[in-house]
Amino acid sequence: MKRKNAMIAGNGLMGVGLVTMIVGISYAVLNELPQLQLPPMFTPLAILSIFIGALLWLVGARVSGREKVADRYYWLRHCGDQRCRRASHHRPHSH
């Protein structure tokens, strides 16, 4: 896939993911208002759509090249490698 097409596809997926998350959050919050009388059977789908939207966002970020492994996995970047662990930065105390 060409770089321009990858950017367009990635940005599109990120946009769809954002809209999906906003719709899911909105329905889940609005369902708590009794005066709207929304059917409660769609609430689990609304909550699921938040996670699906987040997944679409991450896939779009990956396709468009906006995200690297070190950026996505904070724990891996800071603590996953043996060289990055706190104990390796300190010299042992000798008495």
Side-chain angles (χ1 to χ4, degrees):
M1 185 182 289
K2 291 184 180 179
R3 181 75 181 148
K4 183 177 180 181
N5 291 339
M7 286 291 289
I8 291 171
N11 288 341
L13 283 172
M14 288 173 70
V16 169
L18 179 65
V19 169
T20 305
M21 286 188 289
I22 290 173
V23 167
I25 291 170
S26 300
Y27 189 85
V29 169
L30 290 176
N31 190 33
E32 295 297 319
L33 299 174
Q35 60 267 29
L36 292 180
Q37 298 179 354
L38 295 173
M41 66 180 180
F42 293 126
T43 304
L45 292 175
I47 294 170
L48 182 65
S49 72
I50 297 168
F51 293 104
I52 291 172
L55 183 63
L56 286 172
W57 177 277
L58 288 175
V59 168
R62 185 70 177 167
V63 167
S64 67
R66 294 178 185 261
E67 191 173 298
K68 295 186 168 105
V69 173
D71 295 333
R72 284 193 305 175
Y73 301 108
Y74 178 86
W75 186 259
L76 176 67
R77 184 176 68 196
H78 290 286
C79 303
D81 191 41
Q82 185 67 20
R83 295 170 291 174
C84 297
R85 293 201 177 137
R86 183 177 297 245
S88 66
H89 293 297
H90 298 290
R91 287 182 283 147
H93 296 287
S94 59
H95 295 292

